[in-house]
Structures are given as C-alpha cells and as structure tokens.
Amino acid sequence: MIALSLAEISQVVDGALHLAGACAPSDLVNGSVQTDSRLIEPGSIFVAKPGAVTDGHLFAPVAAAQGAAVLVVERLLDLPVTQIVVVDAVAALGALASTVVARVRAAGTLKIVAVTGSNGKTTTKNLLRSMLERVGPTVAPRGSFNNQVGAPMTMLEVTDDTRFLVIEMGASSEGAIANLVRLARPDVGIVLTIGLAHAGEFGDLDGTVRAKSEMVTDLLPTDVAVLNADDPRVAQMAAITPARVVRFGQYGQVDVRASDVHSGRTGTTFTLHLADGQSAPVVFPVLGEHHVMNALAAAAAAEVLGVSLRDIVAALQATTRAERWRMEVLGGKDDVTIINDAYNASPDSMSAALKTLAQIGIPGRRTIAVLGEMAELGELAGEEHDRIGLLAVRLNISQMIVVGQRARRMHISTINEGSWDGESAYVDTPDEAFELVRNSVNPGDTVLVKSSNSAGLRFLGDRLGDLFS
C-alpha cells in the first residue's frame, strides 16, 4: 500500500484512532493490508472482518504478535497495538482501497480495467495481466479475488509506480458490482457473458442481467465499455452506458474479432483482428474454443489501453493454461489426456467443456466425462443438470461418470436415452470415481473432470493427472 499516516487512515475509514505506546497520528504506514492473520508481516494493517464462519477479531492477537502496525476493528480490543475502531470493517476496507487508488491515479498514469461476466472472468483477467505487464507495472487479483473484500484487497496492492490495475468483479447480489465500480472508478469495463451461473442468487436471468449491467451504467463518457457482441444480453448494454463502446466477437459487425478459428488437443489457432484494422495469426495454447472469446475481450481492452498488436499476440501465445483447475491439461502416459476443469461450473461452462471434450478426442478412442454438481442454480438446478446429461448423449461422449447426489439427474438423463451407444455410471464420492476411471481407462482416452468448486472434483482431477503422468 502507499504510505498514509495513522491519522489519514482513521479519517478515510471514518474510525476512532486509539494509539498504543509511542505511536503518533503522523506515523506513516505502508505495509500490506490483510484480512488473514497468517499473512501479517511487520508493518501490516490487519482488518478484523467478521465472517459467516468465524470472526476476524479472534485472530487479532496473532496479527498483533506478528507485528501489525494497526488493527482496523469493530470493537476496541485489549491488545497493546494501535487500533482504529469502525462501524463496518468491510466498508472501511473498501473506503481505504478507494482512497489509495484515487491518490495513485491523481499522481500518475494509473489506468483501471474491470472485468465481470457469468463465465471467463479469471481467464480474461489473467490474459489482460499478461498483456499489460509487457507495457508497465500491473496489479491484478490473486486467484478469484472478486467480491466486496477481494476486490479492495487487490486495489490496495497498487503503489505509486503502478501503471495498470485489473479488477475482477463478481456479484453475490444486485448492487454489489455497482458498489465496486464506485470504489474503483474503472476507465475500462468489460462484460463477458450473461448466463445461469449464480442464477439461484438472482432468481432468474433478468436479475443477472441487471447485476452485470452495473459494470457499464456508471461509466463516464470518457470511459470505454468492452462488450461481447455475440451475447445478445451483453450487446444490449450498449444502449444503457454513457461510455464509448468497443464490441468483440466472432460474428456480425464488431471492433475486435477472430476468424479462421480451429481447435485441437494442443489449443486453438485463429486470426486476431483489432479495431484499428491490424490483424495477426495467433497460436493460443489454452484448450477450448470458448476461451477465444476471453482472448478477444482481453485484446480489446488492451488495445484501448495502448498495448501493441505484437505484445497482445505474444501474451496470448505465452499462456499455456487459463488458470489452475480451469481446462488444465494433465496426464500423457499411454497417451491418456486428463482435462481438469473442476474449479467452477455453470450450464454454459459445462456445455463448453463437453463440446471441447468431444472435439479433441482421438478418433477411435474414448471420451470420458467425470461430472459433478453445478452449484448455485436454485430452482433451475434440476432441469439444467438434465440438459447437461442430454448434451453428453447428443455429443456421443463415450462414458459418463456422475459424482454426488446433487448431480445424479445428469446420470438419470443419460441412461433414459435408449439411442445412446455410450454408458453412464453413478458414484457417491470422488474416491469411487477415481477407482472407476483407473480401472476402465484405455490408452489414448481423453478424460474431462468438471464440476463446481464445492463438489471437490478438482482434487480428483489432480489425482488422475498424477496417475497418468
């Protein structure tokens, strides 16, 4: 974090400053800001955030013992360390992040780009970071830091030298993205897709559209909205944003597009066309044709921010995987390929993964889909799991292995299709699935492991990858 005095921090978070020992209001703090006491280093700021499972105040003694310079708390604690008492620790974290970013922006050349969408946020964020790092110092989230805590934590990593800040914005409710946009004030806002991911939280697609639209409605006329023209729900946001619109896609009239797209077991090739008329061939090692849209979104934003075509292409060609546990290619022994894509799952991403599996399977060898629950679908869960089961049949996947009671309807849907030449098995646990794959896989087979994070199949994917490595 940039250096701020204790008095400044207290004022920014609207808190009461309680000094300890020889500390003075003018003392400067420039250490990291943490909500996890295990990450505290001497000089850090510890924000004692109440949580659904535990309370950060319980870990404040650990933070103090590890050298925290100041604690941001919701109640004064009996600890020999300077504390700032606030009404809401999460709101205080956001206010501090907003102030830090605003000061760095005012003092230099900081540009901010924010990404949202039902699918592809983390991949797009990673691609953008790779592109922007070729131009100047860039800060981007670790993992999927995209909520009301994670996004401010990323913002607080900027320094006076930071040139680009990439923020991933997720939404657990309507108003969440709007709040993050107000905190960060992005120069570029990207909307990738509108799908059924988290439909249970918003009730229906209309609620999801309203939530994701918050990315562009508060942009300024001098800002840029980067919109997926191939998604009608995203494309219509052009009418509700005051910002300049840059469209990306593979069809129709768009500013940034891909042509000659060909996917295989080693990735995807395509020709990238930028808004300025330049184009270049791209060999994109990330598996799955659906990731081309994420590449286009990142390229569109990077072009807006002044990145050259050469650097954009170089970043894409240097990217070997979307992210840990996202279309991650493992295995290799006996020509067995394991695709571990079990960090997140929605109907859209599950469909895309199955289509990729069908597309890249070796002719004459089997394709095996090990599938778990798609979480957070609410009342739509049953019919969407049915639909995925039917899609596997339509794609002629050789074998389905469905894991866990909440995913069982995929198994039922497949076995009810009498015309299918494949087979489906149901097991309760990842361990059972591991044994089933280990005992049935043949040389040359391609195995997809796909589920929501909560199903825990990402570790099954790792085990299978190790088995065939």
Side-chain angles (χ1 to χ4, degrees):
M1 190 186 77
I2 64 172
L4 295 174
S5 70
L6 290 171
E8 287 177 307
I9 296 172
S10 179
Q11 182 179 19
V12 164
V13 302
D14 193 22
L17 177 62
H18 297 264
L19 297 169
C23 291
S26 59
D27 288 350
L28 295 178
V29 179
N30 64 354
S32 65
V33 181
Q34 304 292 350
T35 59
D36 186 337
S37 61
R38 295 169 296 183
L39 302 178
I40 292 293
E41 299 174 343
S44 293
I45 299 173
F46 177 66
V47 179
K49 177 183 70 70
V53 177
T54 188
D55 185 348
H57 293 78
L58 299 175
F59 302 94
V62 176
Q66 293 184 181
V70 58
L71 310 180
V72 177
V73 294
E74 293 183 359
R75 59 181 182 272
L76 190 63
L77 303 175
D78 185 18
L79 293 171
V81 61
T82 295
Q83 300 173 51
I84 300 175
V85 181
V86 299
V87 173
D88 185 325
V90 174
L93 180 68
L96 181 59
S98 184
T99 296
V100 166
V101 167
R103 290 195 182 188
V104 174
R105 190 205 299 264
T109 59
L110 178 65
K111 293 293 183 181
I112 301 169
V113 54
V115 184
T116 196
S118 297
N119 297 291
K121 293 186 295 296
T122 300
T123 301
T124 303
K125 171 261 297 184
N126 288 341
L127 294 174
L128 254 177
R129 172 170 50 197
S130 181
M131 294 172 186
L132 297 174
E133 283 176 339
R134 295 170 182 272
V135 177
T138 300
V139 170
R142 302 184 301 273
S144 296
F145 271 32
N146 62 19
N147 61 15
Q148 304 298 310
V149 174
M153 292 286 288
T154 299
M155 294 164 63
L156 286 164
E157 292 184 18
V158 302
T159 67
D160 293 323
D161 296 327
T162 303
R163 184 166 174 186
F164 300 107
L165 169 63
V166 182
I167 307 173
E168 184 179 333
M169 294 185 178
S172 58
S173 61
E174 290 188 45
I177 291 177
N179 180 61
L180 293 177
V181 169
R182 284 192 293 269
L183 293 180
R185 302 306 321 173
D187 302 285
V188 180
I190 303 173
V191 185
L192 299 168
T193 59
I194 300 294
L196 288 174
H198 314 298
E201 297 172 346
F202 297 111
D204 54 21
L205 271 175
D206 289 339
T208 306
V209 171
R210 288 192 298 271
K212 300 301 183 183
S213 296
E214 295 168 7
M215 173 64 77
V216 300
T217 51
D218 285 344
L219 294 178
L220 303 176
T222 53
D223 298 331
V224 177
V226 176
L227 302 179
N228 180 354
D230 292 353
D231 185 324
R233 297 183 182 89
V234 176
Q236 69 185 8
M237 295 180 189
I240 61 173
T241 181
R244 175 168 70 91
V245 174
V246 172
R247 296 171 175 85
F248 67 92
Q250 297 187 54
Y251 311 102
Q253 296 297 314
V254 295
D255 301 291
V256 177
R257 64 186 178 92
S259 65
D260 303 318
V261 179
H262 300 284
S263 292
R265 294 172 68 82
T266 59
T268 307
T269 62
F270 61 94
T271 299
L272 172 65
H273 304 265
L274 295 184
D276 65 1
Q278 294 187 84
S279 63
V282 178
V283 178
F284 190 38
V286 175
L287 193 64
E289 186 174 321
H290 55 289
H291 283 303
V292 172
M293 291 299 288
N294 300 326
L296 293 179
E303 183 185 19
V304 167
L305 295 170
V307 182
S308 69
L309 174 63
R310 181 181 64 182
D311 283 338
I312 290 171
V313 171
L316 291 174
Q317 297 193 151
T319 303
T320 57
R321 68 180 183 187
E323 173 78 355
R324 183 85 166 94
W325 298 311
R326 289 174 172 88
M327 297 304 285
E328 185 175 14
V329 179
L330 306 171
K333 180 182 177 182
D334 297 329
D335 208 19
V336 172
T337 298
I338 308 295
I339 305 170
N340 193 354
D341 192 28
Y343 188 82
N344 277 319
S346 67
D348 290 336
S349 68
M350 186 76 84
S351 297
L354 282 173
K355 290 174 183 176
T356 298
L357 174 63
Q359 189 175 45
I360 69 170
I362 297 175
R365 302 300 182 184
R366 295 188 308 158
T367 52
I368 302 171
V370 184
L371 306 181
E373 176 196 13
M374 299 180 291
E376 301 177 353
L377 293 178
E379 294 180 355
L380 299 172
E383 62 186 82
E384 290 302 321
H385 282 86
D386 287 344
R387 190 175 68 83
I388 293 300
L390 295 176
L391 177 63
V393 172
R394 190 161 64 249
L395 293 172
N396 200 29
I397 301 301
S398 305
Q399 181 177 11
M400 285 267 288
I401 299 174
V402 178
V403 187
Q405 184 63 37
R406 292 181 179 178
R408 193 169 185 269
R409 283 185 63 161
M410 286 190 285
H411 168 65
I412 300 300
S413 296
T414 59
I415 63 176
N416 284 341
E417 290 297 303
S419 61
W420 186 38
D421 290 333
E423 57 181 302
S424 182
Y426 170 78
V427 295
D428 285 313
T429 67
D431 286 342
E432 292 175 274
F434 177 81
E435 292 300 326
L436 188 55
V437 173
R438 180 169 68 174
N439 294 327
S440 64
V441 73
N442 296 319
D445 286 352
T446 304
V447 182
L448 167 70
V449 182
K450 177 72 174 172
S451 73
S452 288
N453 196 0
S454 57
L457 297 197
R458 63 194 188 278
F459 303 118
L460 168 64
D462 286 343
R463 289 178 67 192
L464 292 172
D466 290 341
L467 180 65
F468 293 103
S469 63

